[in-house]
């Protein structure tokens, strides 16, 4: 859903979130991504797809909320409708998968991945550090700047079973400010 959604679309209240464009209505409902299309144009087409979409959403019996990891990303200064989920090869690395991201004011993107356990988080971080040619270790609970040859500088944090970070045009000072907002929202360690 997030890969096809554009922040400027005409959003509608169906499921968790939906959008309607000419002859197309797509929405997220719990774990389901529903895509509806119609040959009818204009308001009649959108009204018909909306009615059908609402009925489908009712029958799916899903809660309206976003995935739990996405709700950990701070809402403060988040750009509307920029949340995303990347299933694999996040930032171009096979070791990074299941990443939730959002863009923020100032050109910063925050991300978080729940990798399942603290030991797995350390292993994923070590594999990433090796891939970017860095010898240093990441200290749990400490935000560390990593010079990534493909993505620029990344402020990264390992906390329990999560790996999170910030990168983008806003610079490291702004990335660290957003990371501090994220750090206080991270789930407690197991």
């Amino acid at each position: 859903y997030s890969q096809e959604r554009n922040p400027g679309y005409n959003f509608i209240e169906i499921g968790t979130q939906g959008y309607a464009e000419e002859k197309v209505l797509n929405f997220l409902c719990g774990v389901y991504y529903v895509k509806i299309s119609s040959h009818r144009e204009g308001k009649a087409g959108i009204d018909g797809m909306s009615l059908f979409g609402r009925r489908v959403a009712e029958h799916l019996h899903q809660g309206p909320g976003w995935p739990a990891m996405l709700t950990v990303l701070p809402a403060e200064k988040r750009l509307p409708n920029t949340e995303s989920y990347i299933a694999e090869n996040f930032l171009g690395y096979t070791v990074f998968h299941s990443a939730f991201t959002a863009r923020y004011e100032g050109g910063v993107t925050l991300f978080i991945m729940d990798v399942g356990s603290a030991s797995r988080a350390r292993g994923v971080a070590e594999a990433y550090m090796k891939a970017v040619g860095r010898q240093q270790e990441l200290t749990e609970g400490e935000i560390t700047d990593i010079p990534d040859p493909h993505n620029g500088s990344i402020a990264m944090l390992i906390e329990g079973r999560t790996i999170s970070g910030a990168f983008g045009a806003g610079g490291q000072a702004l990335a660290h400010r957003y990371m501090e907002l994220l750090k206080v929202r991270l789930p407690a360690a197991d």
Side-chain angles (χ1 to χ4, degrees), residues 7-18:
Y9 279 167
N10 176 33
F11 291 95
I12 57 175
E13 291 186 29
I14 293 180
T16 300
Q17 182 185 65

Side-chain angles (χ1 to χ4, degrees), residues 99 109 115 123 129 155 159 167 172 178:
T109 296
V115 297
M129 295 300 277
E159 187 75 45
F167 61 92
Q172 288 312 101
Y178 284 122

